Amino acid sequence: MTNIKEVAKECGVSVATVSRVFSGSDPVRPETRERVLAVAQRLGYSPNMLARGLKKARTQTVGIIIPSIDNSFYLGILKQIEIILRKKGYRMLVSFLQHGGTSERDAISLMASSRVDALVFTPRDRSNADLIGALRENTGLFQLFTDTYETIDSVTVDDAGGVREAVSLLLKEGHRRILYVGGDPRVSGYYSAYADAGLTPEDGLVCLDWSADEAAVCRMIREKKPTAVFSVAGQSEKVWSAFRSLSLKVPEDVSLIVYDDSVWARLLGITAVAHPLEEIAERLCERIFLRLEGNETAGEGGKITVSPFLIRRESVAPSASGTGNQ
Amino acid sequence: MTNIKEVAKECGVSVATVSRVFSGSDPVRPETRERVLAVAQRLGYSPNMLARGLKKARTQTVGIIIPSIDNSFYLGILKQIEIILRKKGYRMLVSFLQHGGTSERDAISLMASSRVDALVFTPRDRSNADLIGALRENTGLFQLFTDTYETIDSVTVDDAGGVREAVSLLLKEGHRRILYVGGDPRVSGYYSAYADAGLTPEDGLVCLDWSADEAAVCRMIREKKPTAVFSVAGQSEKVWSAFRSLSLKVPEDVSLIVYDDSVWARLLGITAVAHPLEEIAERLCERIFLRLEGNETAGEGGKITVSPFLIRRESVAPSASGTGNQ
DNA sequence: TTGAAAGCGCTAACAA
DNA sequence: TTGTTAGCGCTTTCAA
């Protein structure tokens, strides 16, 4: 592959001049510039970012590690981020985690040896604190959707708030037996909503078990006869399938709100709590650029929380069993 | 950041020895090896891939350019590919194209200057033949889902075959007025299916207009009164919405088969033609490794076509209007 | 089994 | 405005 030396020779200038033309670091006489550009084009020259990175100790690369949860919105955000990054001249190196496959540890090592300028990740725990600690001196670190390390910047979504808003809506429509199918951290929003309304949920209405399958969901529905269901990402599909197999109609027989909007929620007219993907990507990249190009060293306003929002569609109806008692 | 020299000094060996330990290029005395590893660990040493890449003219990186179509399965395949690549020690650099944003040309240049060992892309046309031509000497080039350049390896899906199979099924169920909503290249499968059955489709049953919106689809359905619809990826959602607004029940009032399986097709019980994502990722990576690590220089079996497959669910019913005439 | 040293392609002083 | 040159951190002959 053509290198800077060949371009310089062919052009009758020094390598420094060619370098200046391509990096824009110093002014170059316009005519010389044109000539260099023309020759480079003719020879198919493309600056070697490896060499540049080695010299400058900056790779113009941001690494991102995607956890193995397959929330499809994660991939949407990946796209958003890459596009913003590209506009600023950054590349994106991605690594997907996989149950039983690549460990977060390996992925971090990979990013480290690739000398990414910044790393975006979603640490579940602090088991790789050692690696992370070694990285933080030279690498911009950013937690996405989590705030596992207090000392590292983060962009998170106020999940509990989103749940609370959704459950409050259900309560306002008169529902009292609202089944919650989802994860642990967010469930606090469920209880807050009940508390806000001065109510207490019946026992057995909360399913925090991620491994609950369709059959388990069916069982809960048959047992507790909820008038509404609130379900989180991966579980919503099971809930929907359960409704189908129980021949329950939405919203006639049961109301439904899902956490995490998706194509299918939209198509089915299901009211959903959505993440502001663009906002997340923008705020995150903003912080990245500040860290990489600004004079900022670390934190200071490094903890960002964005609010999810409710998209009302047609899966919620007033409770048939009246608005007061259960 | 710690470099090889510091590790060497701290260890009392030469940089060459440390290099050998980390690259595994030459045998190193076990005791020395252990000592080097221990020191490296203690110092938090991580080999600099930039320097290595510069020296070896190999980056262990595969670039992938994702076109702006947002077929969600594209992102699934991205994940599959990255996981396979990682197992073999490769990194993945991704770039998303965007309508009105990043051009394919820019993305290719980026990959070129990053000196990726291989590039996977989906060229719509040959407008960047010049860049591609310059790359092919040193970079493994692979077309995914398209075969725009005859001289470049490709992994494609037999779309026309998939359409044909689906439409044949509809025909077999007695449907005669089958509306086709989708793109140009695949429509040949529609005609083949009719031809196979010794039939000719009525006029006006084929909509090749990608910009057709829900209203347009509604209009077609009202006009032509199809007993079945076959729709492609991006259009299927519009078709479904159209059914909803026309209060058409599937499969009672109209049968439906969609091209490209998705979460929502599954949840709604819609029969779909699916891509074998794992197979595509595997075959592609297989070729990449062969090119990068084998002794192979180019082509030879470089054109791979995989077959989509039909997933039967409950959106197809026998035509109510009889099996013979329309 | 190990070490010394040249050089991958680039940038950034420093000099002119 | 341009050229010379010393490295960035690594691999890899060649010698020992």
Side-chain angles (χ1 to χ4, degrees):
Chain A
M1 206 147 206
T2 326
N3 61 23
I4 202 173
K5 215 157 142 192
E6 297 176 46
V7 176
K9 188 159 58 165
E10 181 77 15
C11 230
V13 297
S14 73
V15 293
T17 300
V18 179
S19 170
R20 285 191 264 257
V21 168
F22 280 92
S23 66
S25 56
D26 286 307
V28 172
R29 187 150 53 99
E31 309 145 47
T32 315
R33 201 186 123 80
E34 294 310 325
R35 203 148 42 84
V36 169
L37 251 20
V39 171
Q41 165 101 33
R42 181 158 55 76
L43 301 185
Y45 170 69
S46 157
N48 186 325
M49 299 311 289
L50 295 170
R52 194 201 296 241
L54 180 59
K55 178 68 190 173
K56 303 186 60 159
R58 278 307 221 79
T59 54
Q60 298 289 105
T61 303
V62 173
I64 181 165
I65 298 174
I66 312 281
S68 65
I69 322 154
D70 45 21
N71 285 340
S72 55
F73 74 87
Y74 228 116
L75 293 165
I77 217 157
L78 184 71
K79 177 175 176 174
Q80 299 280 347
I81 293 174
E82 198 272 339
I83 287 171
I84 299 176
L85 250 28
R86 287 269 299 117
K87 282 194 192 134
K88 284 273 202 169
Y90 285 87
R91 293 149 192 51
M92 190 167 81
L93 201 57
V94 319
S95 189
F96 291 88
L97 262 30
Q98 195 197 199
H99 189 74
T102 335
S103 66
E104 185 186 60
R105 197 168 183 81
D106 290 343
I108 295 174
S109 298
L110 183 89
M111 295 298 177
S113 70
S114 300
R115 298 291 189 272
V116 292
D117 295 336
L119 175 61
V120 176
F121 68 141
T122 304
R124 183 183 299 283
D125 53 47
R126 291 189 214 155
S127 56
N128 298 308
D130 54 334
L131 290 184
I132 293 301
L135 273 180
R136 56 188 318 159
E137 266 183 274
N138 324 278
T139 312
L141 259 19
F142 301 89
Q143 303 176 91
L144 181 58
F145 296 129
T146 186
D147 195 17
T148 306
Y149 295 93
E150 295 103 343
T151 54
I152 295 178
D153 282 7
S154 66
V155 178
T156 50
V157 176
D158 176 18
D159 286 324
V163 173
R164 180 179 181 165
E165 190 182 355
V167 176
S168 291
L169 172 65
L170 258 11
L171 253 11
K172 202 171 303 164
E173 292 291 342
H175 295 279
R176 290 298 175 264
R177 285 199 310 285
I178 304 171
L179 181 65
Y180 175 96
V181 187
D184 213 342
R186 301 162 171 179
V187 75
S188 69
Y190 176 86
Y191 293 112
S192 317
Y194 269 91
D196 288 349
L199 297 164
T200 311
E202 244 180 75
D203 280 348
L205 281 173
V206 169
C207 170
L208 259 28
D209 183 9
W210 276 109
S211 61
D213 59 0
E214 189 194 320
V217 175
C218 279
R219 210 174 320 117
M220 296 195 67
I221 294 175
R222 262 197 308 255
E223 260 171 44
K224 306 299 298 183
K225 300 221 178 305
T227 63
V229 175
F230 177 86
S231 63
V232 162
Q235 306 297 75
S236 303
E237 310 176 14
K238 296 170 193 168
V239 170
W240 183 261
S241 302
F243 285 175
R244 284 194 106 207
S245 54
L246 293 171
S247 300
L248 252 28
K249 282 207 189 313
V250 173
E252 293 83 351
D253 304 321
V254 58
S255 287
L256 174 67
I257 298 186
V258 300
Y259 198 83
D260 287 345
D261 192 29
S262 60
V263 175
W264 69 270
R266 181 159 52 78
L267 286 178
L268 292 170
I270 298 173
T271 293
V273 181
H275 293 325
L277 298 190
E278 288 81 6
E279 187 189 352
I280 293 171
E282 274 161 20
R283 304 284 300 269
L284 173 65
C285 290
E286 201 174 87
R287 293 294 309 173
I288 294 178
F289 297 143
L290 211 61
R291 171 77 162 78
L292 261 31
E293 299 175 351
N295 31 20
E296 207 162 335
T297 318
E300 291 311 312
K303 301 287 185 186
I304 295 172
T305 302
V306 301
S307 299
F309 55 95
L310 197 66
I311 301 176
R312 292 181 188 238
R313 289 195 271 243
E314 307 95 51
S315 64
V316 175
S319 171
S321 50
T323 48
N325 296 323
Q326 313 173 11
Chain B
M1 199 141 215
T2 325
N3 60 28
I4 202 172
K5 216 159 143 191
E6 299 176 46
V7 176
K9 189 161 54 167
E10 181 78 13
C11 231
V13 297
S14 72
V15 293
T17 300
V18 180
S19 169
R20 287 191 262 254
V21 167
F22 279 93
S23 66
S25 55
D26 286 307
V28 173
R29 188 148 53 99
E31 310 145 46
T32 316
R33 201 186 123 79
E34 292 311 322
R35 203 148 43 85
V36 169
L37 251 20
V39 171
Q41 167 100 30
R42 181 159 54 78
L43 300 185
Y45 170 69
S46 155
N48 187 325
M49 299 312 289
L50 294 169
R52 191 199 294 240
L54 180 58
K55 180 66 193 178
K56 303 184 60 159
R58 275 309 219 74
T59 55
Q60 298 289 105
T61 304
V62 172
I64 181 164
I65 300 174
I66 311 280
S68 65
I69 320 154
D70 45 21
N71 286 340
S72 55
F73 74 87
Y74 228 116
L75 294 166
I77 216 158
L78 184 69
K79 178 174 175 176
Q80 299 280 348
I81 294 175
E82 199 272 338
I83 287 174
I84 298 177
L85 251 26
R86 286 265 303 112
K87 282 195 194 133
K88 284 274 203 168
Y90 285 86
R91 296 150 190 50
M92 189 166 83
L93 202 57
V94 319
S95 189
F96 292 88
L97 262 30
Q98 193 196 201
H99 188 76
T102 335
S103 66
E104 184 186 63
R105 197 168 183 81
D106 290 344
I108 295 174
S109 298
L110 183 87
M111 296 298 176
S113 70
S114 299
R115 298 291 190 269
V116 292
D117 294 335
L119 175 60
V120 176
F121 68 139
T122 304
R124 183 183 300 286
D125 54 47
R126 291 189 214 158
S127 56
N128 298 308
D130 54 336
L131 290 185
I132 292 301
L135 273 181
R136 55 187 320 159
E137 264 182 276
N138 324 277
T139 312
L141 260 18
F142 300 89
Q143 303 178 90
L144 181 57
F145 296 129
T146 186
D147 194 19
T148 306
Y149 294 93
E150 294 104 342
T151 54
I152 295 179
D153 281 6
S154 66
V155 177
T156 51
V157 176
D158 176 19
D159 287 323
V163 173
R164 179 178 179 167
E165 189 183 356
V167 175
S168 291
L169 172 65
L170 258 12
L171 254 10
K172 202 171 304 167
E173 292 291 341
H175 295 280
R176 291 298 176 265
R177 283 197 314 283
I178 304 171
L179 181 65
Y180 176 97
V181 187
D184 214 342
R186 301 163 171 180
V187 76
S188 68
Y190 176 86
Y191 292 114
S192 316
Y194 269 90
D196 288 348
L199 298 163
T200 312
E202 247 182 69
D203 281 348
L205 281 173
V206 169
C207 170
L208 262 24
D209 184 8
W210 276 108
S211 62
D213 59 0
E214 188 194 320
V217 175
C218 280
R219 210 174 320 115
M220 294 194 70
I221 293 174
R222 264 196 308 258
E223 261 174 41
K224 306 299 299 185
K225 301 218 177 303
T227 62
V229 176
F230 177 87
S231 64
V232 163
Q235 305 296 75
S236 303
E237 310 178 15
K238 297 171 192 166
V239 169
W240 183 261
S241 302
F243 285 173
R244 284 192 108 208
S245 55
L246 293 172
S247 299
L248 252 27
K249 283 208 187 311
V250 173
E252 294 82 351
D253 303 322
V254 60
S255 288
L256 173 67
I257 298 184
V258 301
Y259 199 82
D260 284 346
D261 191 28
S262 60
V263 175
W264 68 270
R266 181 158 52 79
L267 286 178
L268 291 169
I270 297 174
T271 294
V273 180
H275 294 325
L277 297 191
E278 289 81 8
E279 186 189 352
I280 293 170
E282 274 161 21
R283 304 284 300 269
L284 174 65
C285 290
E286 198 175 273
R287 291 298 305 175
I288 293 179
F289 296 143
L290 211 61
R291 172 77 162 74
L292 259 32
E293 298 175 352
N295 30 21
E296 206 163 336
T297 318
E300 288 314 311
K303 300 291 186 184
I304 295 173
T305 301
V306 300
S307 299
F309 56 95
L310 197 66
I311 300 177
R312 293 184 186 235
R313 288 194 273 244
E314 308 93 51
S315 65
V316 176
S319 172
S321 50
T323 49
N325 296 326
Q326 315 178 9

